[in-house]
Amino acid sequence: MVTTDEKGPLTAKKKSVIIRSCDGDEFLVSESAAVLSTSLKKILEEKEDRLIHLSDIDNKTLAMVIAYLSTHADDGLSDDLKRSFDQEFVSGKEFDVLKYLVLATDTLQVTCLCYTVAKKMADIMKNKLVEWVRREFDIQNDYTPEAEAEIRRLDAWAWDDRQLEDD
Amino acid sequence: MDSSAERVESIDDILMEILIRLPEKSIFRFMSVSKRWTNIITNPFFLKTLSRRRCRGGGRLLALIERNFFPVPWFKPLPRWPPPMNILPVIDDDHRTSICKYVPKLLGYFINSSNGLILCGRHPYQYHVLNPVSRKWVTLPPPSPVALDGYERKSVGLMCEENTSELVADYTVVIAAAHADDNTMRIESYSSKTGKWVVKKLAADSLGLLKLCQPPEVANGIFHWKSALHFGVIGVYDPRLDENHVQLLELPKDVVMNENFVSRTITRSPVDDALWYGFITRDNLQFFRLNGYSRSSGYSSTTTIPGTEWVLMHSVSIDWLRKEAGVPPGVQVERKDPRKTKKISLASFIPWNPLVAVLRQGPRVFLYNLETKSIQWLKFHGGLQYYGCDREPVCPYIEPYSEDASPRQSDSPKVPTSGESFGSGPQSSSSKGENDSHIVVDSEIRWEDLQLREEIGQGNYMHVRKLGFTIKGFTIAPFRLIWSSVSWSLEWIGWGFLHGEKDRNMPLKYSTETKMGCQERRGGRMGSWSDLVWIIHGR
């Protein structure tokens, strides 16, 4: 099955690449969009293979990344439009979705998307409790209660915010 | 828990990208998430990135601080009026403007601020460096007691530096004095890295620097001293270069000879490190830019840069400015009552890109964007709006780093409904049912914090200790009242009695904070004796 996004018919005339997600679905991407990702660019330079298999990115995430890449590869759009697209792109997304996205940007090495997503994640995290962060990132607290209390005591000012949220 | 969480957490690079975008406060808080997070946060690369972000500036304008640089000897109590550090919060954001509330006023006068740090104290012997975000301050050791030998110790400056070893910023404090006869400047600098004062003698080319009348303006890590206007020079000193000379810059000729001068200010553009000079007269507002002069462009510090190097970049007439800003027409002259003045003066620059100038008309302050020529009036949320010291500049206090890509200049005012902000907080320990509960209080209430201006001077504070309880809306607590000075101190122990409807069921500490909050909502009018009734028994 070949899925094309709305840019598909326009860019199909140019060279295009097929990217396969870990779910087995295939996406047709123009080469100009694919080379925005440093790792895809490397693969394309090394071999002439037009089919790239990504074993750790699922359908949903890959579709989002490709939508981002195609928009940024579009020369017809001004920088301002691209910037507002970036804002739209991350707004309203769940923290879980962002986690998958940031992982995908790391695999594909799309720096600008990585920054946008990291900024959004930081925005969500900034007023959260430590416990929330541990839960979301599945971190085991490896401090002893005494050591943790000591850290909190040293920088007590960071905790006195009345607006901290836990959900 | 899904695997994505673990994977995000396990990749250091991703985690760093996220953490670096958090406010400083959150970074400190998240140090207790796990040992790995602490390791990432305290890793030198992370700290370097963080401190670079801190020094880049360009954050939101948080407040304006009125600079009143009176050389008050350290042993004299601070005069009651005007307040030593008048902070005028520009944005009404509980999370951030709380910094303004927590500045301990006992620290003395505001002298200078740089990248989120504030230098304050009592000139010329006592200096403190305060970080209002973490509410910590450091008292500097006294400057060297070496006789000044004809030097007048006059001007003090602070500069914040990058620091890669700790989560706190490094800074340099510089005290400059000029010699009357031999054209030298004596610079005492204190570095937080060494913890010591170092004295250095610098040569200067002309006598113009003699009038070190104001604190230096610090921009991009370089100190700039303005001379008295008729000398028409600026002294430039970069502590990072090991030079023994003060670079002198002559000002444009029209500026020096201008008799209609009102006020002036300097800054460095954050974009190209060029020096800008703002100048306002009775007729127009002008901005000059010094082309080609920057740290890298190889000017020798022993040559005085002539005034012809300045280029007039921007000029608007005062009449146009008045029309745009909606200020009624008037003459650019001083009035006896500064509140009635129609004069527009130039207070300072905000080093944003594009540059923004802070202009002041009587008690009101507005921003003027040099590129778009647009005007934005500032609204203050608290602070003493104006006390009439019209000639003193207001110094912008800018968020130490930029959290947003583009600095927002002000937020829409958000007025919390009374009781919401403190009463329902998770720390409010008592509820309506426990009217007669015991509350353990150990907090310090400063008169300055309450801003009770009548009769009780600075340096006196009240200490509420150990035990307080609330009965039917009245809080009773034992307290210790201390009037202190260096040579004497008077203690008074008794029972305090705090009344207020809004304070019911709240620990004393919060009730006073609520008081302050209410008064801020009333539009900046801070407490009076009727708000807070203390019945005092002598011991």
Side-chain angles (χ1 to χ4, degrees):
Chain A
M1 186 187 93
V2 175
T3 321
T4 49
D5 52 316
E6 65 272 14
K7 296 272 176 335
L10 284 171
T11 48
K13 287 172 204 159
K14 297 179 193 166
K15 273 187 174 178
S16 53
V17 187
I18 296 166
I19 302 174
R20 188 188 288 158
S21 73
C22 66
D23 302 334
D25 289 357
E26 287 172 358
F27 295 82
L28 189 70
V29 188
S30 73
E31 198 177 310
S32 60
V35 294
L36 287 178
S37 142
T38 317
S39 48
L40 287 183
K41 193 179 173 187
K42 261 184 206 152
I43 295 172
L44 288 173
E45 277 167 3
E46 276 167 18
K47 48 180 186 177
E48 282 297 297
D49 200 353
R50 294 285 122 187
L51 179 72
I52 298 168
H53 184 69
L54 297 169
S55 57
D56 51 1
I57 302 177
D58 62 13
N59 259 344
K60 210 176 134 195
T61 316
L62 190 58
M64 283 189 282
V65 176
I66 286 172
Y68 177 89
L69 290 178
S70 326
T71 313
H72 276 253
D74 192 342
D75 295 330
L77 295 176
S78 68
D79 284 353
D80 279 344
L81 274 173
K82 281 178 187 170
R83 225 169 284 138
S84 60
F85 169 81
D86 287 1
Q87 291 295 319
E88 286 282 296
F89 187 74
V90 288
S91 70
K93 285 213 167 38
E94 299 276 315
F95 200 70
D96 283 337
V97 177
L98 293 172
K99 275 188 287 195
Y100 281 111
L101 260 178
V102 81
L103 279 174
T105 59
D106 190 60
T107 317
L108 294 170
Q109 297 180 24
V110 193
T111 333
C112 46
L113 179 58
C114 181
Y115 292 166
T116 316
V117 175
K119 174 85 190 89
K120 177 69 185 171
M121 289 175 88
D123 276 350
I124 297 177
M125 279 164 69
K126 67 181 176 191
N127 285 335
K128 301 289 188 198
L129 287 172
V130 171
E131 286 73 22
W132 183 92
V133 174
R134 286 203 192 115
R135 213 165 47 233
E136 278 299 312
F137 287 100
D138 201 16
I139 301 168
Q140 289 299 315
N141 181 11
D142 52 1
Y143 280 112
T144 59
E146 294 81 40
E148 197 184 335
E150 177 65 14
I151 293 179
R152 291 196 179 207
R153 195 186 60 79
L154 280 177
D155 293 299
W157 60 273
W159 266 271
D160 65 348
D161 210 311
R162 292 181 179 83
Q163 296 177 328
L164 294 184
E165 303 151 19
D166 195 23
D167 53 327
Chain B
M1 185 51 69
D2 55 302
S3 64
S4 71
E6 278 170 48
R7 279 168 56 212
V8 170
E9 212 265 330
S10 67
I11 302 172
D12 281 358
D13 289 351
I14 299 186
L15 204 53
M16 259 176 72
E17 288 299 339
I18 299 170
L19 287 175
I20 202 75
R21 287 172 168 77
L22 285 167
E24 227 154 296
K25 201 169 182 172
S26 310
I27 294 177
F28 271 97
R29 197 168 59 235
F30 291 156
M31 266 177 46
S32 71
V33 166
S34 74
K35 284 180 184 162
R36 219 174 77 82
W37 281 46
T38 309
N39 285 342
I40 289 175
I41 290 169
T42 50
N43 139 345
F45 180 74
F46 184 85
L47 292 174
K48 197 173 179 183
T49 321
L50 190 72
S51 69
R52 193 163 293 160
R53 188 184 71 172
R54 190 191 288 129
C55 290
R56 201 178 51 209
R60 283 192 293 176
L61 176 66
L62 290 190
L64 293 173
I65 311 176
E66 213 147 12
R67 181 187 276 166
N68 40 7
F69 193 66
F70 304 127
V72 176
W74 64 282
F75 49 85
K76 276 196 185 160
L78 294 171
R80 264 167 261 156
W81 186 265
M85 221 188 287
N86 187 20
I87 299 184
L88 307 159
V90 171
I91 55 172
D92 188 17
D93 177 342
D94 197 43
H95 177 60
R96 263 158 229 295
T97 45
S98 60
I99 62 149
C100 306
K101 266 188 237 165
Y102 288 100
V103 172
K105 301 203 173 65
L106 279 175
L107 291 183
Y109 285 107
F110 169 78
I111 299 170
N112 223 327
S113 95
S114 166
N115 292 323
L117 293 181
I118 289 178
L119 175 72
C120 49
R122 294 185 192 187
H123 197 56
Y125 295 106
Q126 240 182 26
Y127 301 104
H128 314 272
V129 174
L130 167 81
N131 184 345
V133 179
S134 65
R135 289 170 215 159
K136 288 179 179 166
W137 71 84
V138 178
T139 304
L140 305 187
S144 63
V146 180
L148 285 170
D149 301 327
Y151 286 102
E152 272 179 90
R153 201 193 310 225
K154 274 235 164 131
S155 179
V156 191
L158 165 83
M159 186 189 67
C160 186
E161 287 172 72
E162 288 185 17
N163 184 346
T164 52
S165 60
E166 275 179 88
L167 264 178
V168 288
D170 265 330
Y171 50 85
T172 303
V173 176
V174 161
I175 304 178
H179 199 283
D181 304 322
D182 62 355
N183 285 352
T184 55
M185 245 175 116
R186 180 177 180 275
I187 287 195
E188 266 178 284
S189 60
Y190 174 87
S191 162
S192 62
K193 285 181 200 146
T194 59
K196 278 183 191 136
W197 289 96
V198 179
V199 182
K200 209 172 163 187
K201 257 188 196 177
L202 301 178
D205 270 351
S206 87
L207 283 167
L209 270 175
L210 256 179
K211 299 278 174 191
L212 292 165
C213 44
Q214 277 165 341
E217 308 230 1
V218 182
N220 292 12
I222 303 174
F223 293 91
H224 304 85
W225 283 280
K226 293 179 281 192
S227 72
L229 190 73
H230 56 277
F231 289 116
V233 285
I234 299 173
V236 179
Y237 171 61
D238 187 348
R240 283 163 297 186
L241 304 176
D242 195 27
E243 281 177 351
N244 52 8
H245 209 93
V246 176
Q247 169 96 61
L248 292 184
L249 306 173
E250 273 176 21
L251 292 176
K253 210 176 173 189
D254 340 342
V255 172
V256 183
M257 306 308 288
N258 205 312
E259 286 169 359
N260 298 330
F261 159 78
V262 176
S263 67
R264 61 194 166 139
T265 183
I266 33 182
T267 194
R268 262 170 204 279
S269 152
V271 190
D272 53 1
D273 199 25
L275 200 64
W276 284 74
Y277 187 84
F279 185 78
I280 191 164
T281 62
R282 283 181 204 167
D283 313 311
N284 46 27
L285 172 65
Q286 292 179 324
F287 295 99
F288 294 88
R289 182 171 178 270
L290 188 61
N291 283 335
Y293 171 74
S294 75
R295 234 177 296 155
S296 50
S297 62
Y299 267 96
S300 155
S301 67
T302 46
T303 46
T304 299
I305 295 174
T308 47
E309 296 272 319
W310 292 92
V311 179
L312 179 63
M313 299 297 285
H314 195 101
S315 176
V316 284
S317 75
I318 293 294
D319 292 338
W320 179 86
L321 203 63
R322 278 182 199 285
K323 221 172 110 193
E324 281 296 296
V327 179
V331 202
Q332 288 277 78
V333 285
E334 208 122 350
R335 289 275 192 96
K336 264 200 178 157
D337 181 1
R339 257 160 291 206
K340 289 178 186 157
T341 188
K342 301 283 191 308
K343 189 182 79 174
I344 297 176
S345 63
L346 181 62
S348 58
F349 276 116
I350 302 178
W352 282 335
N353 178 29
L355 276 180
V356 170
V358 181
L359 290 141
R360 177 171 185 170
Q361 184 256 320
R364 307 193 294 164
V365 175
F366 62 93
L367 301 180
Y368 175 73
N369 187 320
L370 264 67
E371 197 175 88
T372 60
K373 291 194 172 193
S374 57
I375 278 164
Q376 186 200 355
W377 285 97
L378 293 181
K379 189 171 174 284
F380 298 124
H381 305 274
L384 289 163
Q385 304 262 320
Y386 190 61
Y387 59 79
C389 219
D390 177 60
R391 238 178 284 171
E392 299 297 337
V394 281
C395 185
Y397 181 77
I398 298 165
E399 201 166 30
Y401 54 87
S402 123
E403 211 187 292
D404 305 306
S406 57
R408 269 182 298 162
Q409 293 180 358
S410 67
D411 288 357
S412 57
K414 180 190 79 187
V415 182
T417 51
S418 61
E420 168 211 287
S421 52
F422 297 104
S424 60
Q427 291 159 17
S428 171
S429 57
S430 50
S431 68
K432 237 183 174 147
E434 309 167 77
N435 247 5
D436 301 350
S437 61
H438 277 243
I439 311 145
V440 176
V441 191
D442 190 1
S443 68
E444 222 173 66
I445 302 171
R446 292 201 183 82
W447 288 111
E448 295 78 28
D449 286 349
L450 299 171
Q451 303 229 358
L452 291 163
R453 294 191 301 274
E454 292 98 322
E455 295 319 311
I456 294 184
Q458 313 281 343
N460 317 312
Y461 58 95
M462 179 164 279
H463 206 96
V464 182
R465 266 209 177 270
K466 304 247 161 25
L467 200 67
F469 45 89
T470 321
I471 304 166
K472 301 210 159 52
F474 293 88
T475 301
I476 300 176
F479 70 91
R480 198 154 58 116
L481 188 61
I482 305 171
W483 278 271
S484 62
S485 168
V486 170
S487 52
W488 54 273
S489 101
L490 182 73
E491 269 189 51
W492 200 352
I493 296 176
W495 285 86
F497 196 60
L498 187 67
H499 169 64
E501 252 182 51
K502 289 203 179 64
D503 313 327
R504 195 177 298 166
N505 314 328
M506 258 177 254
L508 185 58
K509 191 178 168 200
Y510 299 113
S511 62
T512 44
E513 282 183 17
T514 311
K515 281 261 177 241
M516 292 161 64
C518 294
Q519 274 132 25
E520 257 167 50
R521 268 171 246 138
R522 271 181 234 142
R525 187 179 70 81
M526 301 302 275
S528 66
W529 281 110
S530 60
D531 289 328
L532 184 68
V533 181
W534 287 92
I535 296 174
I536 300 166
H537 311 263
R539 182 162 57 159

